[in-house]
Amino acid sequence: MKKTIYTLLVAFCLCACEVIHEDNRIIDLDPQLLPTNAKTHILIEYTGFTCVNCPNAAAEAHHLLDTYNNLIVVEMHPASNPFTQTKKEEFNYTCPAADIYYTYMGGTPTTSFPKGNLDFTLNSSGEYMSLYPEWSAMLASVSSDTTILDMGLQPTWNESTQSVDIQLDIMPKTTDTLECQVLFWVIEDHIIGAQSMPDGSSNMEYEHNHVLRTAIGDEWGQACHLTGTTTTINTTCVWNNKWVKGNCQVVAVVLDSANKQVMHSCKANIK
């Protein structure tokens, strides 16, 4: 019985991994000149280590990072999807926050991977999740969007408490009151581990980047009322020794409280 269930799960993973049709083509983009007050966008990459097409999506995300300096990629491994599930802890890249956002965006155990979301917004089809060849066109259409927020992020390592003290300064360029949610994430680069590849092989030395390790505090952040002066938010992240501090960054994301869409974001290394 266990063997039959395992066989069915493998079959599901092979079949559900998203097949990209020829009419969904990636747009080749040159590095972009952006306004000084350009909004920094968040691209969420939903992925799993048994998904054979996911390395192609990771390559596209890397290409977009080379093209736009106002983009932050966050790779999320939701535990509720079979592509992320493993009995080996060293291949477990999941975290509870990934499932919170995944469920909010309509993800289910049968959702095919890879998929992505830009700025917590709906795509032209009225869905949160898009195929990776669509990401370049989606980002090109909003890459010159500007923001009314200035943000300064300072994550500092506290040796005595083995934690990261985080300070975020937000200065709105308006006298209107803005109702926001401020989220803090830890992401990690250069994680070496298993990954199923497009040719059907398994790469045990694959490099996973931008992996969401945790949301600091509540997954939807803390409420913030911005009123035209600088607002300072302080928080602390208790460290997990499984994470390599030198490979980690803290990401701050400001969402519009009315629609949960990204208003601005920033990323910083831990000092």
Side-chain angles (χ1 to χ4, degrees):
M1 181 64 179
K2 290 183 178 179
K3 184 176 180 181
T4 301
I5 293 173
Y6 175 78
T7 302
L8 290 173
L9 178 60
V10 171
F12 165 77
C13 290
L14 291 174
C15 294
C17 205
E18 190 68 58
V19 176
I20 308 303
H21 298 287
E22 291 184 1
D23 56 349
N24 289 323
R25 297 185 182 275
I26 293 172
I27 298 176
D28 194 15
L29 300 169
D30 294 323
Q32 302 295 298
L33 295 175
L34 301 169
T36 56
N37 60 337
K39 169 182 172 179
T40 297
H41 300 274
I42 294 289
L43 175 63
I44 294 175
E45 177 189 350
Y46 289 114
T47 187
F49 81 101
T50 63
C51 166
V52 297
N53 283 325
C54 286
N56 292 330
E60 172 61 4
H62 181 80
H63 170 64
L64 292 173
L65 285 171
D66 285 342
T67 305
Y68 298 100
N69 61 13
N70 63 331
L71 176 66
I72 298 171
V73 172
V74 181
E75 184 179 283
M76 296 192 186
H77 298 247
S80 59
N81 191 287
F83 288 117
T84 70
Q85 294 173 7
T86 177
K87 294 181 179 179
K88 295 185 177 181
E89 185 58 31
E90 63 266 35
F91 302 151
N92 184 2
Y93 312 124
T94 65
C95 77
D99 271 290
I100 296 293
Y101 308 125
Y102 182 64
T103 301
Y104 172 79
M105 294 180 187
T108 72
T110 59
T111 298
S112 57
F113 276 2
K115 288 287 173 62
N117 171 268
L118 186 63
D119 292 337
F120 285 79
T121 58
L122 297 169
N123 61 23
S124 59
S125 300
E127 299 175 339
Y128 280 104
M129 297 189 197
S130 302
L131 302 173
Y132 73 86
E134 301 169 355
W135 299 351
S136 53
M138 291 167 57
L139 192 54
S141 69
V142 299
S143 63
S144 295
D145 286 359
T146 58
T147 180
I148 57 173
L149 302 178
D150 280 336
M151 295 169 59
L153 179 62
Q154 299 179 50
T156 305
W157 176 250
N158 189 323
E159 184 66 28
S160 63
T161 59
Q162 293 292 293
S163 62
V164 179
D165 296 328
I166 300 165
Q167 177 176 316
L168 176 68
D169 296 318
I170 311 175
M171 175 63 188
K173 301 175 184 177
T174 178
T175 57
D176 296 335
T177 299
L178 304 176
E179 301 294 339
C180 310
Q181 298 293 126
V182 182
L183 286 59
F184 293 97
W185 297 333
V186 174
I187 62 174
E188 184 174 359
D189 292 331
H190 312 306
I191 302 172
I192 304 302
Q195 176 64 52
S196 297
M197 302 302 291
D199 63 1
S201 65
S202 182
N203 183 356
M204 304 303 291
E205 299 295 324
Y206 185 85
E207 183 175 313
H208 299 268
N209 290 300
H210 331 296
V211 176
L212 179 66
R213 286 306 201 180
T214 190
I216 303 169
D218 188 272
E219 288 83 3
W220 290 109
Q222 54 184 287
C224 186
H225 310 278
L226 304 178
T227 57
T229 59
T230 299
T231 296
T232 298
I233 299 174
N234 292 288
T235 190
T236 298
C237 175
V238 178
W239 201 250
N240 186 324
N241 289 330
K242 294 180 181 180
W243 310 336
V244 179
K245 178 160 56 70
N247 295 339
C248 291
Q249 302 89 39
V250 173
V251 177
V253 184
V254 179
L255 302 181
D256 186 328
S257 293
N259 54 25
K260 285 190 171 69
Q261 295 180 6
V262 175
M263 299 177 64
H264 198 29
S265 59
C266 60
K267 179 177 71 172
N269 295 322
I270 300 168
K271 300 295 180 66

